[in-house]
Amino acid sequence: MPTVSASPSEDRYIVDLRSTSDSDLAGLDIVHRLDQIDIAVVKGTDEKVSGTRYSKDVDMAVTFPEMEHHGHHHDRHHWMQDPLYKYQWDKQAQRIPQVHRKTRGEGTRVSVIDSGAYEDHPDLKHALNTDLSKNFTDDGGDFNPVESDHGTHCSGIIAADDRNGKGVTGTAPETDLVALRVFSGPEATFGDVVAAMVYSADIGSDVANMSLGAYPLPDDSDTAVLKDSVERASSYANEKGTLMVAAAGNDSSNLDADGEVISLPNEADNVMSISATGPIGYRWDDENPEDENYHAALRHLRKPTYEPAFYTNYGADAVDISAPGGNADQSQIGTDSKWYYDLVLSTIFTEEDGERVPDYGWMAGTSMASPQVTAVAALVKSVNPDATPGEVRQHLEDTARDLDNPTYHGEGHLDTARAVWKEIGDDRWGHHGHDHDDHDHDHGHDHDHDYGHGHDHGYGHDD
């Protein structure tokens, strides 16, 4: 999740249509009319909306990312031959290739409400539904990113192609991926996010990922309609069959003890809120980073992959489960160590000679944790096509790894293999505990595909 500073919009408002007549909207520019949830997003002035029940829309100014690491620059085509799975501690710990024997996400649809997705990336082209993908801003572009590759990175975590002989492995590579762009450069407004939530439900998405948010927002009458709009959109999505998943945020804040403020959308009803974890020391000691014996790396960590990330927001009531989002030893950032290997590797793009080119890079944040859960929700839906959003959510919580630390992990830590292989409603084993380590997670990995290798630049920490 990016660093976000939220402030009231100067000319945009979220209006409650349940207490507003059409005549009250006269003189206002309708940006999004969402009759499904009785909400309108409008442009105007305080005077022109004075006859309505409204909140000011919220402008989100975003920084992508705050910490970067630039390594050796390789030929742009080099990644097409060399595997990258060996750097994906998150997929190894979650046993993704083993899970793919059961399902690869076929028959599902996932929306990514974010900065857009780069449609020419070779690891995303197979999954991206360009007909349904859409731009919700007013900048006149399409769903492709304007500036940030944040949404492209999240999309790769979910659906990167693992059978094209290049790049990285996604958790649900056969899902139908829909990119919904709500950022125009580094800026977004919450009304566009609400509109994208409703659209996700209307196009039949099984899951929608929101690696974004605004915090802290005052939880008072000034933001009441804004909060109502998110609550109505998430409830509408739930009724239509769409599970909403959101990042918990990167402020190192206890969301259960933060006074009269709220974090949205993750603290809304019917939204699953995800905190972040990550290892310290993954492959730091490798003398040869091309070594194929990556299985041993998870046995020699300074901190395990389920260690709460230093930046993650937390709170037993505010967090549903935790998931791999990346971590960092703050004393090592910017040094010559391999600190960035503890971040999450996925799809990005870079600029070369004025042209956008596909690439791969590291980022960390609850933004990276949320799509891990989103993708697993798609896998669960794939093998349980009649399951409701509530049943999928409960199943993810029931199968999560209990680490006896609800403050940081909520109901537990994401366990992809157990969520997919255990039938919904099967309580024979109960809520399983922490009786295995990272080596157990990775034991027996036998992936069959060759994944290409990318540039060593573009690593980012999305804090």
Side-chain angles (χ1 to χ4, degrees):
M1 181 175 170
T3 299
V4 177
S5 59
S7 60
S9 173
E10 292 184 359
D11 64 348
R12 283 183 42 144
Y13 305 83
I14 298 177
V15 176
D16 184 359
L17 296 179
R18 293 177 183 173
S19 57
T20 302
S21 66
D22 285 344
S23 61
D24 292 327
L25 299 177
L28 295 168
D29 181 15
I30 307 296
V31 180
H32 303 291
R33 179 154 185 151
L34 307 172
D35 290 320
Q36 305 95 317
I37 60 172
D38 297 319
I39 288 291
V41 181
V42 304
K43 280 188 175 181
T45 64
D46 289 355
E47 181 180 359
K48 289 182 178 179
V49 297
S50 60
T52 71
R53 179 175 179 261
Y54 71 91
S55 290
K56 286 195 171 185
D57 204 347
V58 171
D59 292 329
M60 296 182 286
V62 186
T63 301
F64 299 102
E66 286 197 341
M67 290 187 289
E68 295 185 354
H69 173 84
H70 295 276
H72 301 292
H73 183 84
H74 297 292
D75 178 80
R76 61 183 278 187
H77 299 294
H78 182 64
W79 51 263
M80 293 185 178
Q81 286 79 41
D82 295 336
L84 280 177
Y85 176 82
K86 59 193 173 190
Y87 300 107
Q88 291 185 273
W89 59 266
D90 53 318
K91 305 306 183 188
Q92 295 166 32
Q94 293 290 320
R95 295 179 283 183
I96 298 305
Q98 290 176 324
V99 170
H100 285 171
R101 299 171 187 168
K102 177 80 169 178
T103 177
R104 296 165 50 79
E106 53 270 21
T108 64
R109 175 171 291 158
V110 171
S111 293
V112 180
I113 302 172
D114 210 294
S115 64
Y118 178 39
E119 67 175 312
D120 290 329
H121 201 293
D123 254 345
L124 298 179
K125 288 194 294 185
H126 73 290
L128 195 58
N129 187 325
T130 57
D131 292 329
L132 292 179
S133 294
K134 186 176 179 179
N135 171 25
F136 284 83
T137 78
D138 60 2
D139 63 14
D142 62 11
F143 63 85
N144 278 276
V146 171
E147 180 177 306
S148 169
D149 54 12
H150 184 270
T152 300
H153 195 275
C154 292
S155 296
I157 291 171
I158 295 168
D161 192 346
D162 64 336
R163 289 181 170 174
N164 61 352
K166 61 189 73 171
V168 292
T169 294
T171 296
E174 290 193 14
T175 195
D176 186 44
L177 189 71
V178 181
L180 304 181
R181 182 162 69 83
V182 295
F183 285 96
S184 184
E187 299 176 342
T189 52
F190 227 102
D192 293 341
V193 174
V194 173
M197 293 171 69
V198 172
Y199 179 80
S200 294
D202 286 342
I203 63 173
S205 294
D206 296 293
V207 199
N209 186 75
M210 297 183 289
S211 290
L212 48 78
Y215 176 81
L217 291 170
D219 190 11
D220 57 22
S221 59
D222 288 341
T223 60
V225 178
L226 170 64
K227 182 180 177 182
D228 285 350
S229 70
V230 179
E231 298 277 8
R232 292 182 195 177
S234 61
S235 295
Y236 176 75
N238 186 69
E239 292 169 2
K240 295 279 284 187
T242 304
L243 175 63
M244 310 301 298
V245 182
N250 305 322
D251 307 284
S252 304
S253 294
N254 183 349
L255 300 182
D256 290 348
D258 52 2
E260 299 299 317
V261 297
I262 191 170
S263 176
L264 290 176
N266 64 292
E267 288 195 280
D269 290 341
N270 293 308
V271 176
M272 199 170 184
S273 179
I274 312 303
S275 64
T277 71
I280 298 295
Y282 178 68
R283 301 194 66 172
W284 282 16
D285 300 324
D286 287 3
E287 294 183 4
N288 177 15
E290 301 300 320
D291 187 357
E292 295 294 336
N293 187 27
Y294 53 81
H295 301 292
L298 291 181
R299 307 176 204 168
H300 303 289
L301 300 172
R302 290 158 175 81
K303 292 184 179 180
T305 60
Y306 48 83
E307 176 75 12
F310 74 89
Y311 54 79
T312 190
N313 286 351
Y314 56 96
D317 293 331
V319 168
D320 290 297
I321 63 173
S322 65
N327 207 351
D329 182 336
Q330 296 179 76
S331 69
Q332 296 297 311
I333 294 172
T335 69
D336 292 334
S337 73
K338 298 184 179 72
W339 62 271
Y340 50 89
Y341 280 8
D342 296 330
L343 281 58
V344 175
L345 181 63
S346 187
T347 47
I348 63 169
F349 57 82
T350 54
E351 301 288 336
E352 291 187 6
D353 299 324
E355 294 185 4
R356 183 170 289 178
V357 295
D359 209 336
Y360 299 90
W362 280 267
M363 294 185 187
T366 54
S367 278
M368 285 66 249
S370 181
Q372 309 274 13
V373 175
T374 294
V376 178
L379 296 182
V380 171
K381 181 69 174 181
S382 178
V383 295
N384 299 275
D386 295 327
T388 66
E391 289 171 337
V392 172
R393 176 176 179 170
Q394 188 63 55
H395 185 67
L396 292 173
E397 294 176 359
D398 288 345
T399 57
R401 182 179 180 185
D402 185 1
L403 297 172
D404 294 332
N405 187 357
T407 299
Y408 279 93
H409 300 284
E411 295 296 322
H413 185 63
L414 177 69
D415 190 326
T416 300
R418 194 163 189 265
V420 170
W421 287 95
K422 183 175 183 287
E423 294 183 7
I424 286 182
D426 185 352
D427 296 324
R428 285 178 295 170
W429 297 294
H431 199 54
H432 77 311
H434 54 292
D435 55 354
H436 51 85
D437 57 20
D438 283 301
H439 170 49
D440 294 321
H441 270 288
D442 185 59
H443 183 69
H445 240 131
D446 58 349
H447 69 101
D448 300 321
H449 312 298
D450 186 37
Y451 315 104
H453 178 62
H455 299 179
D456 283 346
H457 67 282
Y459 321 122
H461 177 82
D462 173 23
D463 181 7

